Amino acid sequence: MLDLREISTFTDFFVICSGTSEPHLKAIAGAIESGLREEHGVRPSAVDGFPASQWIVLDYMQVIVHVFHQERRDFYSLEDLWSDAPRLTIEL
Amino acid sequence: MGGLKRIGIYGGSFDPIHHGHLILAREALETLAFDEVIFVLAAHSPHKQDRAPTPAAVRWRMLNAAIAGEPGFAASRLEVDRPPPSYSVETVETLRAAQPEAEFFFLVGEDNLPALRSWHRFDDLRQMVHFVVLDRSGGKTEYDYPAIRRKIDISATTIRKRVASGQSIRYLVPETVEQIIRQENLYQGTT
């Protein structure tokens, strides 16, 4: 998780995670979407990408969730792009 | 013009950013009285690669090194934050949402002009921005939009080729950009 509060005007946090296959990406994104909807009543303002693009974005305004295919996570390397952002680890 | 903030949007892959980009952006800023030019870094598609892709993070560092300390120049990671393809109209919508009071100008290279009308949601885009042509060809073509004309014979392709063949790129890019190109060993395989 990246803390963008001091850096970005568009959002506060990026949550970045990865899956190992396209069905896996779909399952992760689906679970996040339904979990947040059912337990907290929030819906994403936008969903970008799709499993075949190997990068799905769930936009919850202050929090943006990026679900990558493992092999694409390095290519896009958001952690490097936002290397000026403090990193937070989420305890599950 | 009133008190509206005037913002130029300059998109590109900036691989690498060079003095041609910077000279034209500065000239657009001065000629059209922009308060700010935002350089929007474009995503590279992972699918069509004719050469080793320069990671967005490295292009971002070069871009920032190039504009550091330059009043009126800013950079945006907006398009590299999202899965490609990026559409200009969506980029403009996001930038506008952040500064709804501003007037936006979209800088477009003369080589992209013929395709402009076929852009995704072009009719929406033209409602939101004024187009400005950046013409570095040296030609005298008449445009439907205001044009910044300056013949500049610097291109990213030439720079990559020069690096690959061991020729100097000094005076073509800012020194800080050249340092990053050397550190990261960029463009070695370019043919």
Side-chain angles (χ1 to χ4, degrees):
Chain A
M1 183 152 132
L2 302 178
D3 182 350
L4 309 179
R5 283 173 296 185
E6 301 289 319
I7 306 170
S8 170
T9 52
F10 299 105
T11 191
D12 291 337
F13 296 100
F14 275 180
V15 175
I16 303 173
C17 57
S18 40
T20 52
S21 66
E22 289 173 19
H24 193 196
L25 296 197
K26 199 176 162 189
I28 294 170
I32 293 169
E33 207 176 336
S34 60
L36 286 173
R37 186 180 62 237
E38 286 159 19
E39 291 171 34
H40 300 281
V42 293
R43 292 162 195 272
S45 65
V47 179
D48 268 353
F50 38 89
S53 66
Q54 306 193 322
W55 179 3
I56 302 174
V57 172
L58 304 161
D59 187 343
Y60 290 95
M61 309 297 276
Q62 291 96 335
V63 179
I64 296 177
V65 184
H66 298 270
V67 187
F68 284 102
H69 192 292
Q70 252 176 6
E71 291 167 14
R72 279 284 169 258
R73 185 162 174 171
D74 284 346
F75 178 85
Y76 292 112
S77 192
L78 281 189
E79 293 93 334
D80 288 340
L81 182 64
W82 290 90
S83 56
D84 46 347
R87 290 171 192 221
L88 312 172
T89 308
I90 313 173
E91 300 285 339
L92 294 176
Chain B
M1 283 171 222
L4 277 190
K5 197 171 171 191
R6 294 161 64 87
I7 299 177
I9 300 172
Y10 190 9
S13 54
F14 302 120
D15 190 13
I17 184 155
H18 54 68
H19 280 137
H21 300 126
L22 296 163
I23 291 167
L24 281 170
R26 165 59 57 193
E27 187 137 329
L29 184 130
E30 287 174 349
T31 309
L32 299 167
F34 294 155
D35 296 284
E36 191 176 41
V37 171
I38 304 176
F39 292 75
V40 180
L41 191 67
H44 274 166
S45 165
H47 301 298
K48 44 174 185 184
Q49 282 165 16
D50 47 351
R51 58 192 170 86
T54 310
V58 177
R59 291 185 290 122
W60 174 252
R61 276 173 47 212
M62 293 194 285
L63 175 53
N64 278 277
I67 65 172
E70 185 66 357
F73 282 3
S76 169
R77 283 175 264 205
L78 204 57
E79 291 191 356
V80 282
D81 259 0
R82 285 291 185 281
S86 318
Y87 296 111
S88 301
V89 64
E90 293 173 0
T91 301
V92 170
E93 280 171 344
T94 310
L95 292 171
R96 247 166 54 119
Q99 304 200 62
E101 295 299 305
E103 193 173 2
F104 285 94
F105 297 78
F106 197 93
L107 311 184
V108 55
E110 92 281 351
D111 47 334
N112 286 321
L113 212 53
L116 196 63
R117 277 173 180 68
S118 64
W119 284 11
H120 183 61
R121 293 176 49 207
F122 174 72
D123 280 330
D124 293 332
L125 181 61
R126 70 197 292 188
Q127 303 295 321
M128 294 188 276
V129 298
H130 309 280
F131 291 105
V132 175
V133 184
L134 300 184
D135 187 342
R136 43 182 163 131
S137 71
K140 291 195 166 61
T141 317
E142 293 286 329
Y143 301 109
D144 296 337
Y145 310 108
I148 302 296
R149 297 169 193 272
R150 190 183 264 272
K151 184 163 165 52
I152 302 175
D153 185 16
I154 303 176
S155 76
T157 312
T158 312
I159 291 168
R160 294 194 300 263
K161 283 183 181 161
R162 292 183 67 89
V163 173
S165 61
Q167 292 169 286
S168 170
I169 55 167
R170 200 168 176 194
Y171 313 128
L172 300 179
V173 299
E175 266 182 58
T176 46
V177 171
E178 182 174 3
Q179 280 165 16
I180 296 171
I181 292 172
R182 303 296 176 208
Q183 280 162 10
E184 299 287 335
N185 259 324
L186 300 182
Y187 315 134
Q188 292 304 325
T190 308
T191 49

